[in-house]
């Protein structure tokens, strides 16, 4: 199967000229002309199951937009097979549409792209602005959601909107329990991947296997119990800032009552920015939950030179210092993992690390066995 073992056709930023802003070149890889748009997953004429729907932007499926297929798929257990193409739309999966599966038919995350360009500060047609949650290209609230080989993107750019100061622009907001993403990409700048839950007391479990995430400010954030395994995180360069830090990779907002927040395991963090331009993480204590105690473990992961090894953590608010949160590392490698100031890099002992595993975080749910 296609996976992130191969070089990604990642976001490209093309300089528009001296002094001009960057524009986003985001395209899906076209399928060969003779290829069947739905690959080995059937077609409307050869439907895999009665609960399978086919989506193709060129009209060869049941629907030409993802949202139209979601709207038709009422209840539980539907599968959407997405043909290669760029789906420029916003998509919302409400809590009633449980146990849904979305499959990128090309089995290549670069071939199926769901993208839109709202930011938190983008004006809404009826007045007001979208806010961080409303900026999401795709929102999934239902439990039991699975996606494979799909790119979720938000291509809103600061340079194109100098009048907007609320620059959060979410590619995916996922809130359901047992939400799994295999071989997917999440592309954006600020707040790219929002791993959240439907309520403060809901400890949603989420799994990201062999995925690629990129951005700049807090681009993986939220209060979910989320495991990122064999993933690639990439920090983007910035020309709008005169000095570091350019941004922050992770910003968990774990509820104090939740024993597990974010776990990054056997992954890789690289950068196209200057060395030490990025912090690894900062804790997010939102105004809606000032008792939050963000939790993050990064283990067995390569940290590239883009991470500030001397001071990898910082505060989002001085009222909630990172040292009072649940941040720790274990057996990381690479220049960004060098320990020069031990007090700035809390480390787990071997016994503690035995509890920082996907099994401990996800319990009886084993999504890594699905793909």
């Amino acid at each position: 199967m296609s996976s992130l073992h191969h070089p990604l056709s990642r976001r490209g930023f093309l300089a528009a000229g001296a002094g001009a802003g960057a524009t986003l070149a985001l395209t899906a890889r076209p399928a060969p002309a003779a290829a069947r748009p739905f690959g080995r997953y059937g077609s409307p004429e050869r439907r895999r199951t009665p609960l399978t729907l086919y989506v193709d932007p060129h009209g060869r499926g049941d629907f030409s937009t993802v949202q139209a297929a979601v709207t038709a798929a009422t209840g539980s257990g539907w599968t959407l097979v997405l043909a290669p193409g760029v789906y420029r739309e916003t998509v919302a999966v409400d809590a009633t549409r449980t146990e849904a599966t979305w499959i990128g038919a090309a089995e290549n995350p670069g071939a199926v792209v769901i993208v839109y360009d709202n930011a938190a500060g983008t004006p809404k047609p009826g007045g007001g602005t979208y806010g961080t949650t409303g900026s999401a290209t795709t929102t999934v609230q239902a439990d039991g959601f699975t996606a494979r080989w799909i790119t979720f993107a938000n291509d809103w750019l600061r340079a194109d909107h100098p009048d907007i100061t609320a620059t959060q622009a979410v590619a995916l907001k996922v809130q359901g329990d047992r939400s799994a993403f295999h071989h997917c990409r999440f592309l954006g700048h600020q707040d790219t991947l929002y791993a959240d839950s439907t309520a403060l007391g809901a400890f949603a479990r989420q799994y990201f296997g062999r995925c690629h995430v990129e951005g700049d400010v807090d681009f993986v954030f939220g209060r979910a119990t989320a495991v990122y395994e064999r993933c690639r995180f990439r920090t983007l360069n910035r020309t709008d800032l005169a000095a570091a830090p350019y941004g922050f990779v992770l910003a968990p907002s774990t509820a104090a009552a939740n024993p597990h927040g974010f776990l990054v395991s056997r992954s890789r963090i690289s950068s196209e920015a200057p060395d030490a331009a990025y912090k690894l993480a900062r804790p997010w204590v939102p105004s809606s939950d000032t008792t939050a105690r963000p939790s993050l473990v990064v283990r067995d992961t390569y940290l590239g030179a883009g991470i500030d090894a001397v001071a990898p953590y910082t505060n989002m608010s001085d009222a909630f210092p990172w040292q009072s949160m649940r941040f720790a590392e274990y057996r990381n490698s690479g220049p960004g993992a060098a320990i020069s100031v031990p007090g700035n890099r809390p480390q787990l002992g071997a016994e503690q690390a035995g509890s920082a595993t996907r099994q401990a975080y996800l319990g009886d749910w084993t999504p890594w066995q699905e793909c």
Side-chain angles (χ1 to χ4, degrees):
M1 63 179 62
S2 173
S3 75
L4 297 184
H5 290 121
H6 303 289
L8 287 167
S9 176
R10 64 176 301 281
R11 264 176 134 187
F13 291 88
L14 308 178
T23 57
L24 177 65
L26 179 63
T27 57
R29 297 176 183 173
R36 295 171 299 176
F38 304 108
R40 62 188 177 96
Y41 295 98
S43 67
E45 296 75 30
R46 296 177 293 108
R47 199 172 302 277
R48 238 184 166 193
T49 72
L51 294 182
T52 301
L53 295 175
Y54 296 88
V55 187
D56 175 39
H58 305 293
R60 296 167 292 183
D62 298 305
F63 301 95
S64 60
T65 68
V66 180
Q67 184 60 61
V70 169
T71 300
T74 57
S76 184
W78 287 84
T79 295
L80 271 56
V81 180
L82 279 57
V86 175
Y87 298 84
R88 179 161 285 278
E89 57 177 307
T90 59
V91 185
V93 182
D94 66 42
T96 69
R97 290 167 163 79
T98 57
E99 311 304 326
T101 299
W102 294 4
I103 298 171
E107 301 185 21
N108 170 3
V112 175
V113 178
I114 304 172
V115 58
Y116 209 71
D117 60 348
N118 283 330
T122 300
K124 295 172 66 175
T129 58
Y130 283 98
T132 300
T133 290
S135 75
T137 297
T138 302
T139 302
V140 180
Q141 296 181 316
D143 291 345
F145 180 85
T146 299
R148 297 186 179 93
W149 305 298
I150 295 171
T151 292
F152 299 88
N154 189 318
D155 60 356
W156 188 91
L157 290 173
R158 298 181 185 95
D160 294 343
H161 305 276
D163 55 318
I164 292 179
T165 57
T167 58
Q168 299 91 341
V170 178
L172 173 75
K173 179 172 184 176
V174 55
Q175 298 176 276
D177 185 39
R178 295 178 294 102
S179 300
F181 298 83
H182 304 277
H183 306 285
C184 288
R185 301 191 303 171
F186 307 92
L187 309 183
H189 283 262
Q190 182 171 355
D191 290 8
T192 304
L193 174 55
Y194 194 171
D196 203 39
S197 66
T198 54
L200 180 59
F203 300 162
R205 295 166 297 171
Q206 298 168 6
Y207 178 80
F208 300 84
R210 299 186 185 275
C211 290
H212 174 92
V213 197
E214 64 183 44
D216 48 43
V217 177
D218 305 330
F219 63 93
V220 182
F221 73 114
R223 67 178 173 223
T225 295
V227 174
Y228 307 87
E229 189 170 51
R230 298 188 184 278
C231 289
R232 293 182 179 180
F233 303 83
R234 185 158 180 84
T235 61
L236 300 176
N237 199 9
R238 297 184 65 174
T239 58
D240 59 319
L241 295 179
Y246 285 8
F248 320 88
V249 180
L250 299 138
S253 58
T254 322
N258 189 350
H260 303 301
F262 286 0
L263 171 64
V264 177
S265 177
R266 295 185 290 175
S267 294
R268 185 177 185 89
I269 299 176
S270 62
S271 180
E272 64 177 33
D275 290 356
Y278 275 83
K279 303 294 187 181
L280 179 60
R282 62 179 182 172
W284 176 34
V285 178
S287 58
S288 59
D289 179 21
T290 57
T291 66
R293 194 158 175 256
S295 171
L296 168 68
V297 173
V298 180
R299 62 171 300 169
D300 302 297
T301 289
Y302 178 87
L303 309 182
I307 298 300
D308 180 357
V310 175
Y313 306 108
T314 191
N315 300 335
M316 188 175 294
S317 167
D318 288 342
F320 305 103
W322 73 264
Q323 293 90 341
S324 66
M325 304 303 169
R326 296 174 285 176
F327 282 13
E329 300 176 58
Y330 182 67
R331 292 193 317 196
N332 293 324
S333 61
I339 302 174
S340 57
V341 183
N344 288 346
R345 308 208 72 144
Q347 302 290 311
L348 297 179
E351 185 175 347
Q352 293 170 307
S355 299
T357 65
R358 61 191 184 184
Q359 293 90 343
Y361 276 55
L362 303 181
D364 59 0
W365 180 48
T366 57
W368 55 89
Q369 297 178 352
E370 299 173 6
C371 185

